[in-house]
Amino acid sequence: MAAGEALLRLEALSKSFGGLQAVSDLSFEVRAGTITSLIGGNGAGKTTAFNLITGNLAPDAGHIYFRGARVDGLPPHKVARAGIARGFQELRLFNRLSARDNIEAAIPGQQGENIVRALIGGHALTEERDVTQARSSALLRDLTIEAHAESLAERLSYGQQKLLSLGRLLATEGELLLLDEPTSGLSPGMVEDFCARMRRLTDAGRTILLIEHNVEIVMRLSDWIIVMHQGGKIAEGKPDEVRGNVVVMHTYLGISS
Amino acid sequence: MEYFVYIGTLIAIYATLTISLNLLVGYTGLISIAQAAIYGVGAYVTALLALHVTNDLLVSFALASIAGILVSLIVALPSLRLKNEYFLIATMGFQAIIFSLFMNLDITGGASGLYGIPHPALFGYTIRTSFEMFLLAVTLAIICYLLALRITRAPFGRLLRAVREDQTAVAALGKSVFRIKFSIFIFSAVFAAAAGTIYTYSLTAIDPVAFGLDESVFIITLVIVGGTGSLNGSVLAAAVLILLPEAFKFIAIPDAIAPQLRQVLYGLLLVFFTRYRRQGLIGEYRDVLK
C-alpha cells in the first residue's frame, strides 16, 4: 500500500460494557507509513479501541477496514494474519521460553508448526529451521539482545523484555503495528532508542498506531494525533494543530486557557 | 518370570499414558483429569470388537483410536473457552460421566465388566503369550516416546509451550490456538486409546474400576512426579511408581492393607512433589501448576 493511503479505517465503532459506553461512534483513519497516536486520559477508550481492532472484542456497532477489507468479526489470529500486529502494555511474553523461541514463535508460515508435518519431519523442515534461526538471530542482533538469545524471557531486564516484545511483533511481518505504551517504565536513554526505532520502522514502510501517555514523545514522534475522551474522538490533527486546540488542552492536558 | 513380564507390560502401558497426558499438562498447560476415560474408551472398544466382531490388532488400534479421538474432542471443547481451573473441573466431571457409563451400560457389562476376551491376531498370527504382549506394549511406548519427542522439538512444540504461557499472545501473533489445542488432544487420545487396546488384550478381562477418577489422578501423579514437560521423566515415573508398590509384596506387609498403603504412598508423593519439587524427578519447569 502506497504511503499516505488509509491502511486502517474505523467507521462509527461503538462498544459498551453493561452501562458503560467504552467506545462510542469512533471513526478515524491510519495512513500507511505514518505514526498515528491515540491519546486521552485513563478510561478514554484507547485500549478498548485496540481490542476492537484486533478482534479481542466484538464491536456493538460499526466496521473496521484494513487494506480496504473488513476485519471486524474476525478472530484475533486472523486479524493478526491479515497484517495487524499488536503489542501489549503488559508485554505478555512467553516467560519460560527463551528469547529466541519468543521471536521464532511469531514468524509466520512455518510448516513445522503443523503437527502432521512435524511428525513426518524431513529435509524441508531442517531447511526451514535454518531460515527461521537466521531470521531470529538477525532480529535479536538488531534489538541488541543477541547475547541473551538462549535466556528465558523472564530472566531478561525490563528494558530487554520491552525490546523482545517489539521484536516478536516485528517477526510477525505485520504491516500495521499497534503499540500500547511502548516506552513506559524505560530509562530516558532507552526511550530515545525506542523513538528512533519507531521512526526507522515507518521509514522502512511500516505503519504504527501508538497509545502513549508521554505527551512530549507523542508531539515529537507523531504524524497524526487522535484525541479520545469518554470513548469518543474529540479532536484530531497534526501535533501543532492538536497542541493549539483549546478543547484538547482543557480536557486532556489539563491546561486551562 | 510371568510376574516380571506382567509388571513390565504395565510399566510400558503407563509410560504411554503418562507421555500422552504430559503433552497436554506439561507442554500445553491443559490440566486434564480425564485421561483414564480416554484410555477406558480404547479398552472397551477393543474388548467389544474382540468379543463380537474381530480380534485383528490393527483394526482394534484403529477403531479404539477413532473412538478415543471423538471422546477427547468433547473434552477439548471446554478448554477453548474455560480458564485452567474451570477446565480441570470440567474434565473431572467428564471423567465421572464416562465412568458412570462404563458402570451402568448393558453393553459394557456393568460393574463386572467384560471377560473372556480372545487373543489378538496380527497379520493372521495369534499373539498368545504374555511375553509377546509385553513386546507389543514396549513397542507402543517407544513409538509414542519417539513421536512425542519429534513434535515437541519441532516448531509445533514451541507453539504448545507458547499456549501454556499465554494464549492471548499466541493468537495475537496470528497462530490459531484452536488448531494447536485440537492437534495435541487428538495426538494424546490416539496413544491413550492404544494403551487401552494393549491393556485389554494383556488382561483379557476389564472392569470399570481400572478407568475411574482414581486412575486419572494416578496418571497425573505420574506426570507430576516425573516432571511436567519431561518425556524421560514420564517414563521414569511410570517405572518407579509401578515398581515401588510391588516391592511391598516382598516385605512383610499383610495383603489386607497393601492396597491402602499404595494409595497413601501415591498421595504422599503427590504432596511432596507439588510442595517441594515442582520440576519432578527430572523435569525442566517448576511452575506449571502454580
Side-chain angles (χ1 to χ4, degrees):
Chain A
M1 181 155 288
E5 284 181 45
L7 182 64
L8 177 77
R9 194 168 84 242
L10 275 62
E11 275 186 14
L13 220 55
S14 290
K15 178 72 186 177
S16 62
F17 303 107
L20 176 76
Q21 190 74 32
V23 164
S24 84
D25 199 28
L26 180 66
S27 301
F28 66 78
E29 286 182 357
V30 176
R31 294 183 177 278
T34 64
I35 297 179
T36 301
S37 293
L38 274 183
I39 64 171
N42 286 328
K46 307 182 297 290
T47 299
T48 304
F50 265 25
N51 282 329
L52 290 168
I53 295 167
T54 55
N56 290 96
L57 289 174
D60 298 333
H63 297 300
I64 302 165
Y65 297 87
F66 181 68
R67 299 166 138 265
R70 263 183 70 181
V71 293
D72 55 282
L74 293 182
H77 73 274
K78 288 195 173 161
V79 175
R81 267 184 220 172
I84 301 181
R86 188 246 177 102
F88 296 90
Q89 195 179 348
E90 67 275 26
L91 303 185
R92 288 184 171 270
L93 289 172
F94 305 128
N95 281 326
R96 285 168 300 162
L97 267 61
S98 69
R100 181 185 294 283
D101 277 341
N102 267 270
I103 301 276
E104 292 186 355
I107 294 175
Q110 296 177 61
Q111 292 181 54
E113 290 186 345
N114 179 296
I115 190 170
V116 177
R117 282 297 290 116
L119 283 169
I120 295 167
H123 191 58
L125 288 194
T126 318
E127 278 181 6
E128 182 183 83
R129 192 192 60 204
D130 293 343
V131 173
T132 306
Q133 282 187 355
R135 175 95 184 99
S136 63
S137 293
L139 266 167
L140 289 162
R141 195 160 42 240
D142 180 58
L143 295 163
T144 68
I145 49 176
E146 198 188 11
H148 307 283
E150 313 309 329
S151 306
L152 296 185
E154 67 183 2
R155 301 271 160 80
L156 302 183
S157 73
Y158 185 64
Q160 290 165 339
Q161 289 182 343
K162 283 255 184 185
L163 285 165
L164 182 58
S165 156
L166 179 66
R168 206 171 57 168
L169 282 192
L170 298 179
T172 67
E173 294 168 19
E175 194 178 351
L176 173 65
L177 308 178
L178 306 189
L179 303 179
D180 196 343
E181 303 264 356
T183 68
S184 69
L186 293 180
S187 66
M190 282 208 71
V191 170
E192 285 310 311
D193 177 64
F194 255 83
C195 290
R197 279 178 193 282
M198 284 190 263
R199 191 38 84 190
R200 283 205 298 277
L201 286 170
T202 52
D203 287 346
R206 304 245 194 168
T207 306
I208 292 176
L209 179 60
L210 180 69
I211 293 180
E212 181 58 63
H213 274 127
N214 185 328
V215 177
E216 191 262 324
I217 289 176
V218 169
M219 292 297 168
R220 188 153 56 92
L221 211 54
S222 308
D223 298 299
W224 196 256
I225 296 174
I226 292 150
V227 188
M228 290 185 69
H229 183 62
Q230 292 181 351
K233 178 179 75 180
I234 55 169
E236 66 179 317
K238 291 179 180 166
D240 286 345
E241 296 165 2
V242 168
R243 202 196 294 273
N245 186 312
V246 177
V247 182
V248 175
M249 286 296 118
H250 189 66
T251 56
Y252 176 53
L253 302 179
I255 303 164
S256 51
S257 52
Chain B
M1 190 61 205
E2 190 76 352
Y3 168 75
F4 290 107
V5 168
Y6 167 72
I7 296 298
T9 307
L10 273 189
I11 290 174
I13 288 173
Y14 280 99
T16 307
L17 287 170
T18 309
I19 290 170
S20 74
L21 183 62
N22 203 347
L23 291 170
L24 297 181
V25 175
Y27 286 86
T28 323
L30 296 160
I31 301 175
S32 165
I33 312 196
Q35 202 70 353
I38 315 286
Y39 170 48
V41 166
Y44 272 96
V45 166
T46 302
L48 290 169
L49 275 175
L51 287 170
H52 304 295
V53 187
T54 175
N55 64 339
D56 186 286
L57 187 66
L58 296 181
V59 174
S60 303
F61 274 136
L63 293 181
S65 293
I66 289 170
I69 289 170
L70 292 177
V71 171
S72 85
L73 291 184
I74 303 172
V75 185
L77 275 177
S79 83
L80 297 169
R81 301 193 66 90
L82 298 180
K83 284 185 195 284
N84 281 345
E85 303 80 355
Y86 298 102
F87 172 67
L88 188 153
I89 303 287
T91 61
M92 201 186 274
F94 183 81
Q95 166 70 53
I97 292 168
I98 296 285
F99 176 73
S100 145
L101 290 176
F102 290 155
M103 201 74 177
N104 294 298
L105 289 178
D106 287 336
I107 193 171
T108 57
S112 51
L114 300 167
Y115 38 87
I117 294 154
H119 293 299
L122 184 61
F123 303 120
Y125 170 79
T126 304
I127 297 169
R128 290 177 198 286
T129 70
S130 51
F131 186 70
E132 287 168 324
M133 281 313 300
F134 164 72
L135 291 181
L136 210 56
V138 171
T139 306
L140 178 72
I142 290 173
I143 292 172
C144 179
Y145 177 88
L146 291 177
L147 293 183
L149 195 63
R150 190 157 208 166
I151 59 171
T152 53
R153 287 185 175 173
F156 178 75
R158 188 169 56 219
L159 282 186
L160 292 182
R161 294 192 295 273
V163 165
R164 180 190 70 203
E165 297 295 308
D166 194 325
Q167 302 184 34
T168 306
V170 171
L173 299 177
K175 318 281 172 164
S176 167
V177 174
F178 177 90
R179 189 179 59 77
I180 299 164
K181 283 186 177 176
F182 267 63
S183 300
I184 200 61
F185 265 111
I186 289 172
F187 183 89
S188 173
V190 166
F191 283 97
T197 299
I198 300 272
Y199 180 83
T200 294
Y201 282 133
S202 297
L203 270 73
T204 70
I206 56 171
D207 67 70
V209 177
F211 313 107
L213 182 61
D214 282 357
E215 191 66 13
S216 270
V217 172
F218 178 58
I219 302 169
I220 213 166
T221 305
L222 292 178
V223 170
I224 291 166
V225 168
T228 48
S230 164
L231 299 178
N232 293 333
S234 290
V235 177
L236 182 64
V240 170
L241 265 72
I242 296 291
L243 285 174
L244 213 55
E246 296 303 322
F248 289 175
K249 294 180 181 166
F250 297 99
I251 51 180
I253 293 172
D255 276 355
I257 62 163
Q260 284 84 343
L261 263 183
R262 204 172 80 139
Q263 292 301 326
V264 170
L265 176 73
Y266 293 155
L268 285 174
L269 281 172
L270 195 54
V271 170
F272 173 80
F273 276 91
T274 48
R275 177 69 185 84
Y276 296 106
R277 201 174 157 83
R278 287 260 174 100
Q279 70 270 45
L281 288 172
I282 48 179
E284 179 182 0
Y285 301 109
R286 266 171 290 153
D287 303 321
V288 167
L289 300 171
K290 77 179 174 189

